[in-house]
Amino acid sequence: MKKMWKGNHAIAEAAMRAGCKFYAGYPITPQTEIPEYLSARMPELGRTCIQAENEMSAVYMILGAYSCGMRCMTSSSGPGISLKQEGLSYICAYYLPAVIVNVQRWGPGLGTLDSAQTDYLRDTRGGGNGDYRVIVLAPNSIQESIDLMYESFDIAEKYRNPVEIMSEAALGQMMEAVEFPEFKDREGELDWTYDGTNRPHGKLPDSEKSAAALAKYTKIAEEFQRWESYRTEDAEYVFVAFGLPSRTSRNAVDQLRANGEKVGLIRPITLWPFPIKAFEELGPQVKGLISVESTDTGQLIEDVALAAKKCKIDVPVYGLFSGLSISKTKAISEFYREVKSGQRKEVY
Amino acid sequence: MAVTKTTPKLVDIPNKFCPGCGHGILNRLIAEVIEENGYEQKTIMTLGVGCDCNMNSTFLGDTIQCAHGRAASTATGVKVARPDLLSIAYQGDGDAYVIGLSETLNAAYRNTNITVFVVNNNNFAMTGGQMSWTTMAGQVTTTSPAGRDTKATGNPIKLPEIVSGFDVAYVARGSVHSAEEIMKLRKYVKNAIEAQLAGEGYSLVEALCQCPTNWGMDTRHSLEWMEAEVVPYFELGELKERKAK
Ligand SMILES: Cc1ncc(C[n+]2csc(CCOP(=O)(O)OP(=O)(O)O)c2C)c(N)n1
Ligand code: SF4
């Protein structure tokens, strides 16, 4: 039976179901319900929850524990995720799994507590020093937050790479009716973990690391793209949106379709790797792409333009950037009409 | 009586420290105590960033190279995942007391059941001898070329004295400048490791070590300088003894 759950509580409970044995984090709005929930829930399950002295320390606790193969995670928002970037770079350098939740708040610096997607470029491009990627999953509902979290440890361990669930303030704070999967544990053992015996950990000599990084990230990009295409078969204009803006964009598609407009939606679920394959499926009737995102200056739109180029879709790419709010259905429909009538200038 | 020399298996290959460096002595003492306790296959050593990076290839047990200053947090994670193993953080003074001061203090503050060894050689050695928080007043380094001005930069930090005020299991400061002190340091290392194995909580041992390369002295003068200048300021001994069981 479905029950009403708050987004942050639900994602925390889903992590427990997925076999997470250790959490380390530091309070910051709008993700604090995650450590709060786990500080009660984990002792109940005989697991460990540590309130670290800061976000950096928390990510190194995760590095240490996952080096030993323990399913573990951290979460934060805004400046807290910035502090974790050094640790994420080390985790990637060592081919370690890890799970991170970023419940995004708006802005640089301290920012605000408003819902936003302004960490898109940092989180999909690596964010720390060196050339690496974090696998980024973007749910647009609380049920999907649960489902993606439930898979994330398996994905992180399969690729030996961190996985981030990119949530948004409103998605963490709102409530929806959801169902949880059963408790599970890792199937099989990891053969590279640190256990004191100094067995091989799969480390490569520096001279082989560049080629290995290229091979690893090319493989993930090829086989791990996920997205949802909605009414795109004959669409002339295609919205591209993830997370909460994808919900209002979908409403806009339905309303515009009801008025005879040929519009559709591509909703990336993996932000890295970006679902380029979704664009390969678009037909020659497409006249424009519209990125709908909660950013100030446009971030997702860069990937939309690159995907279009890769798929030889030579059409203008427009951007509707709503900053510290989520574009309403009406605003999206209006923006579309302005695009169609030539009143809007393309970004790319 | 015949004397046989044995070397602990964990350090049974030549180290990569400079000739006369103090690090190697501490390496050996730690290895001896680990093996005495039968933990050579049950230890994970988290290495800070400094000359201890050399131990990635010369310390023959499991080593995790962590980021500069973050060893205490990493070793904490190791201990959470594997409470049955010995989790050691091995760091330099710059790593543990400067960039990692927060991590070091907070792990001690929580009385986390890990053991931290800090080589105090009064400078940032690996990067070529810059000032550290442990650099002596007046000591010349590449970033205190006129001698350390403690009015502007603070007095040399006594971290073991600070954490011994916390509710921790064991804290000591030893030195490798003489055979006698090395034997005392060995006892401190043993207590620190055995405190963790007994689940008593956080233990820290600082070891005063010479860095002839960056001090610009030969080994003999380095040891003399330590005895004359460093040891009187950084007093040796147990700052927090283990609770009698
Ligand atoms: C974030 C970061 N900053 C700076 C450095 C450069 N760095 C490497 S080792 C070191 C100082 C090490 O000094 P200490 O911890 O005292 O160890 P020692 O080499 O003296 O044994 C510095 C500054 C780094 N590796 N990472
Ligand atoms: S630079 Fe100093 S601390 Fe580093 S190995 Fe050489 S003597 Fe030892």
Side-chain angles (χ1 to χ4, degrees):
Chain A
M1 204 191 62
K2 289 195 173 187
K3 280 198 169 151
M4 292 296 284
W5 274 73
K6 187 174 183 141
N8 283 339
H9 291 160
I11 213 165
E13 177 61 24
M16 297 302 98
R17 307 279 171 137
C20 176
K21 300 287 189 321
F22 172 38
Y23 171 91
Y26 187 86
I28 183 172
T29 311
Q31 64 86 46
T32 304
E33 293 83 2
I34 296 176
E36 283 176 345
Y37 180 85
L38 292 177
S39 58
R41 183 66 168 142
M42 294 188 85
E44 211 173 85
L45 295 168
R47 305 180 187 183
T48 308
C49 179
I50 295 184
Q51 176 166 337
E53 64 270 29
N54 59 43
E55 291 83 349
M56 209 162 39
S57 181
V59 80
Y60 285 106
M61 290 180 191
I62 297 310
L63 185 156
Y66 234 134
S67 294
C68 301
M70 177 176 264
R71 287 198 160 180
C72 54
M73 65 177 278
T74 183
S75 65
S76 192
S77 180
I81 297 283
S82 296
L83 283 181
K84 292 188 193 294
Q85 295 305 321
E86 182 198 57
L88 286 173
S89 170
Y90 273 79
I91 288 171
C92 284
Y94 296 162
Y95 280 48
L96 295 175
V99 173
I100 310 114
V101 179
N102 179 3
V103 186
Q104 290 176 97
R105 56 197 248 173
W106 175 87
L110 192 55
T112 69
L113 307 182
D114 298 277
S115 205
Q117 301 178 322
T118 44
D119 294 343
Y120 180 90
L121 281 176
R122 183 197 61 199
D123 292 9
T124 57
R125 267 41 175 191
N129 56 298
D131 195 349
Y132 67 89
R133 298 291 187 279
V134 170
I135 295 169
V136 183
L137 308 175
N140 80 343
S141 68
I142 298 178
Q143 186 64 56
E144 195 177 32
S145 302
I146 293 170
D147 297 343
L148 291 175
M149 171 54 88
Y150 195 63
E151 266 189 276
S152 58
F153 293 94
D154 301 323
I155 299 163
E157 289 165 11
K158 175 178 176 190
Y159 292 116
R160 292 187 63 171
N161 201 76
V163 170
E164 173 179 306
I165 309 250
M166 188 182 249
S167 181
E168 293 157 49
L171 194 54
Q173 297 300 318
M174 66 193 206
M175 293 181 92
E176 284 181 327
V178 295
E179 262 174 332
F180 286 98
E182 293 299 311
F183 278 86
K184 69 173 178 183
D185 260 321
R186 174 166 52 233
E187 282 168 24
E189 283 300 310
L190 304 173
D191 59 7
W192 53 263
T193 56
Y194 290 74
D195 61 357
T197 64
N198 199 18
R199 62 175 170 173
H201 306 300
K203 284 185 187 158
L204 296 171
D206 287 346
S207 59
E208 290 173 24
K209 283 181 181 164
S210 296
L214 181 61
K216 171 179 171 171
Y217 292 119
T218 305
K219 176 176 152 69
I220 300 174
E222 180 50 41
E223 65 187 33
F224 194 62
Q225 299 180 24
R226 287 196 198 172
W227 70 93
E228 183 191 6
S229 292
Y230 183 63
R231 304 183 89 166
T232 52
E233 303 77 27
D234 61 342
E236 292 176 355
Y237 287 87
V238 177
F239 297 112
V240 185
F242 69 92
L244 291 176
S246 74
R247 292 170 64 148
T248 48
S249 296
R250 188 181 168 114
N251 291 343
V253 167
D254 287 340
Q255 288 187 5
L256 290 165
R257 281 270 176 186
N259 289 309
E261 301 292 331
K262 290 191 172 169
V263 293
L265 167 69
I266 290 174
R267 174 172 80 90
I269 297 170
T270 53
L271 301 183
W272 194 89
F274 193 73
I276 290 171
K277 290 178 186 172
F279 295 77
E280 280 167 10
E281 292 172 356
L282 295 179
Q285 78 287 347
V286 173
K287 293 181 179 154
L289 300 169
I290 304 171
S291 183
V292 183
E293 43 181 297
S294 297
T295 63
D296 305 336
T297 63
Q299 299 194 24
L300 168 67
I301 194 169
E302 291 190 9
D303 278 334
V304 176
L306 286 170
K309 169 144 172 71
K310 175 89 177 163
C311 301
K312 301 196 166 55
I313 304 170
D314 190 13
V315 300
V317 181
Y318 304 89
L320 173 54
F321 312 137
S322 58
L324 39 70
S325 65
I326 299 153
S327 286
K328 296 206 165 63
T329 305
K330 196 164 156 240
I332 298 169
S333 299
E334 272 166 19
F335 187 84
Y336 158 76
R337 290 188 191 282
E338 288 167 15
V339 164
K340 198 180 168 198
S341 62
Q343 290 165 263
R344 287 280 176 175
K345 206 176 138 24
E346 72 267 27
V347 180
Y348 293 103
Chain B
M1 199 179 72
V3 176
T4 35
K5 278 194 175 176
T6 54
T7 310
K9 288 196 190 60
L10 289 171
V11 291
D12 200 16
I13 55 170
N15 68 48
K16 291 183 174 173
F17 303 113
C18 305
C21 174
H23 265 288
I25 300 170
L26 181 63
N27 275 211
R28 180 180 172 126
L29 297 180
I30 294 170
E32 283 179 7
V33 174
I34 289 174
E35 293 189 11
E36 245 170 51
N37 282 281
Y39 269 69
E40 58 272 28
Q41 295 275 298
K42 293 201 294 184
T43 297
I44 298 180
M45 173 97 84
T46 299
L47 298 173
V49 179
C51 288
D52 45 359
C53 290
N54 287 308
M55 293 161 65
N56 279 303
S57 54
T58 63
F59 191 85
L60 303 177
D62 251 336
T63 55
I64 297 177
Q65 175 62 67
C66 79
H68 195 21
R70 321 292 173 226
S73 308
T74 307
T76 298
V78 166
K79 196 69 185 177
V80 168
R82 294 298 302 264
D84 55 322
L85 303 183
L86 185 60
S87 177
I88 293 176
Y90 184 113
Q91 305 171 260
D93 49 81
D95 198 79
Y97 303 166
V98 184
I99 195 168
L101 182 58
S102 166
E103 283 79 359
T104 303
L105 286 179
N106 280 290
Y109 171 75
R110 286 187 293 264
N111 195 20
T112 307
N113 194 28
I114 59 169
T115 302
V116 178
F117 293 114
V118 181
V119 165
N120 175 358
N121 55 18
N122 315 90
N123 77 102
F124 286 10
M126 188 197 215
T127 39
Q130 294 78 33
M131 184 182 77
S132 175
W133 288 183
T134 55
T135 295
M136 302 300 295
Q139 186 183 337
V140 172
T141 70
T142 60
T143 52
S144 56
R148 182 174 189 186
D149 174 4
T150 52
K151 280 212 179 69
T153 65
N155 288 308
I157 195 167
K158 297 184 179 182
L159 195 288
E161 279 79 349
I162 299 172
V163 299
S164 61
F166 294 170
D167 183 20
V168 295
Y170 183 74
V171 184
R173 181 187 290 113
S175 173
V176 303
H177 76 276
S178 71
E180 195 191 338
E181 290 304 333
I182 291 171
M183 291 322 288
K184 283 191 203 158
L185 175 59
R186 193 181 190 289
K187 263 195 292 181
Y188 306 153
V189 169
K190 187 170 155 65
N191 267 322
I193 286 177
E194 292 180 1
Q196 183 186 155
L197 293 179
E200 292 164 28
Y202 181 90
S203 51
L204 177 136
V205 175
E206 175 180 305
L208 302 181
C209 289
Q210 69 278 15
C211 171
T213 303
N214 287 304
W215 291 357
M217 300 177 197
D218 60 22
T219 309
R220 186 168 61 84
H221 284 101
S222 296
L223 301 183
E224 283 169 10
W225 183 70
M226 283 170 81
E227 192 164 8
E229 302 288 334
V230 184
V231 172
Y233 182 85
F234 288 111
E235 285 170 42
L236 305 179
E238 294 184 310
L239 290 140
K240 178 125 193 177
E241 293 181 24
R242 292 170 70 191
K243 288 195 185 90
K245 283 166 292 247

